[in-house]
Amino acid sequence: MTHSSSNVALSVNVNKVALLRNSRHLGIPSVTRAAQLCLQAGAQGITIHPRPDERHIRASDVSELHALMQAWPDREFNIEGNPFHNLMDHVRAVRPHQVTFVPDSEGQFTSDHGWTFPQDAQRLKPLIDECKALGVRVSLFMDPVPEQMAAARAAGADRVELYTEPYAATWGTPDNAVQLQRYADAAQAASQAGLGLNAGHDLNRDNLPAFVTAVKGLQEVSIGHALIADALEMGYAATVQAYLACLHK
Ligand SMILES: CC(=O)[C@@H](O)[C@H](O)COP(=O)(O)O
Ligand SMILES: NCC(=O)COP(=O)(O)O
């Protein structure tokens, strides 16, 4: 996987492109085309979270994105989800570079917490072992709790993904510095435990620079909602001009 000058890789989550696509039966916007454009623009990876209800990413997207990624051997394909629901079927079928286990319930609005140790250790370990036997790196979605990091490593995880919504939600408030320190401490504990470090959820162009500066050892951020929203806004002017040109030939 290639890296930007900050050494933190950007994996673009294309869930929200699929959400828009699913509102009609026309196949637009294309999820694979969006992923291809993100890779052409320099993104180091593509992330998807195929939920059991297929509200956005569908099983067909997983195989089509897998096929696309074969043309980008230095980029990373990351699939997120609950390994006790539908995730392992996808992992066995396409063997992505990385899988991120997330403890969401079925139908959950969006991810809002990480795994808990020691409670989750015993049931996660065989699935982590299976992924690693398939050659798939395993990252566990975790709250920024330093004491949990060694247990995540003991369960066999290669990396953790720190759930960043509490940091993002306090951006611009006095509480934000306290939150940021929690992430810096969790990152240090993860590093001491021998874990690699990812982060994601509600990261955006405002809150990302301070996070990357404070959280040492960060290897990858996965960003979807804000990035796709920005892509729409940054594209309105050129798009309206293209439609006006159709009208005023
Ligand atoms: C694990 C995580 O934080 C993201 O995958 C997030 O859950 C995105 O999922 P939705 O796009 O379905 O909200
Ligand atoms: N793992 C987080 C992710 O993939 C994207 O989260 P968000 O930017 O859509 O909140």
Side-chain angles (χ1 to χ4, degrees):
M1 190 168 188
T2 56
H3 290 272
S4 62
S5 57
S6 74
N7 271 340
V8 180
L10 171 64
S11 184
V12 176
N13 183 319
V14 293
N15 289 354
K16 295 298 158 70
V17 179
L19 192 69
L20 182 56
R21 185 269 319 273
N22 293 357
S23 65
R24 292 278 176 94
H25 299 293
L26 299 171
I28 59 169
S30 160
V31 173
T32 48
R33 178 81 181 130
Q36 185 175 28
L37 290 170
C38 291
L39 295 169
Q40 283 171 354
Q44 287 96 354
I46 296 296
T47 289
I48 52 172
H49 189 146
R51 295 183 179 277
D53 58 14
E54 295 202 328
R55 78 183 77 154
H56 41 57
I57 296 296
R58 298 169 173 159
S60 55
D61 293 316
V62 180
S63 49
E64 287 169 20
L65 286 166
H66 169 65
L68 172 74
M69 297 306 290
Q70 304 314 301
W72 296 88
D74 63 337
R75 311 301 171 91
E76 180 199 89
F77 190 26
N78 174 43
I79 306 184
E80 302 187 328
N82 190 324
F84 303 108
H85 298 159
N86 58 332
L87 180 69
M88 291 305 292
D89 293 341
H90 297 307
V91 173
R92 292 173 190 129
V94 306
R95 301 188 187 195
H97 303 101
Q98 176 176 272
V99 64
T100 303
F101 287 181
V102 185
D104 286 350
S105 54
E106 290 212 27
Q108 187 162 327
F109 179 63
T110 190
S111 309
D112 64 4
H113 64 282
W115 298 98
T116 307
F117 291 98
Q119 293 89 323
D120 289 319
Q122 203 174 355
R123 62 191 190 123
L124 283 177
K125 186 149 191 355
L127 296 169
I128 294 171
D129 290 346
E130 180 182 347
C131 290
K132 292 171 77 168
L134 291 169
V136 177
R137 184 171 70 228
V138 178
S139 179
L140 298 181
F141 197 59
M142 299 290 294
D143 298 305
V145 180
E147 297 73 27
Q148 293 273 295
M149 298 301 145
R153 181 66 179 154
D158 301 296
R159 292 192 188 185
V160 288
E161 176 179 329
L162 299 179
Y163 165 54
T164 48
E165 195 268 350
Y167 164 72
T170 55
W171 178 252
T173 77
D175 292 340
N176 191 249
V178 176
Q179 286 294 338
L180 190 53
Q181 189 60 47
R182 291 176 67 210
Y183 289 87
D185 292 346
Q188 188 179 22
S191 167
Q192 284 167 352
L195 288 160
L197 189 69
N198 298 340
H201 204 95
D202 282 346
L203 292 175
N204 60 38
R205 287 184 294 131
D206 292 328
N207 62 37
L208 191 55
F211 191 84
V212 170
T213 300
V215 178
K216 305 299 179 206
L218 188 62
Q219 289 167 282
E220 175 183 308
V221 290
S222 50
I223 307 183
H225 188 88
L227 189 151
I228 300 302
D230 281 346
L232 289 173
E233 276 202 29
M234 291 175 174
Y236 284 130
T239 308
V240 168
Q241 283 158 21
Y243 275 79
L244 288 173
C246 295
L247 293 169
H248 303 139
K249 274 195 171 147

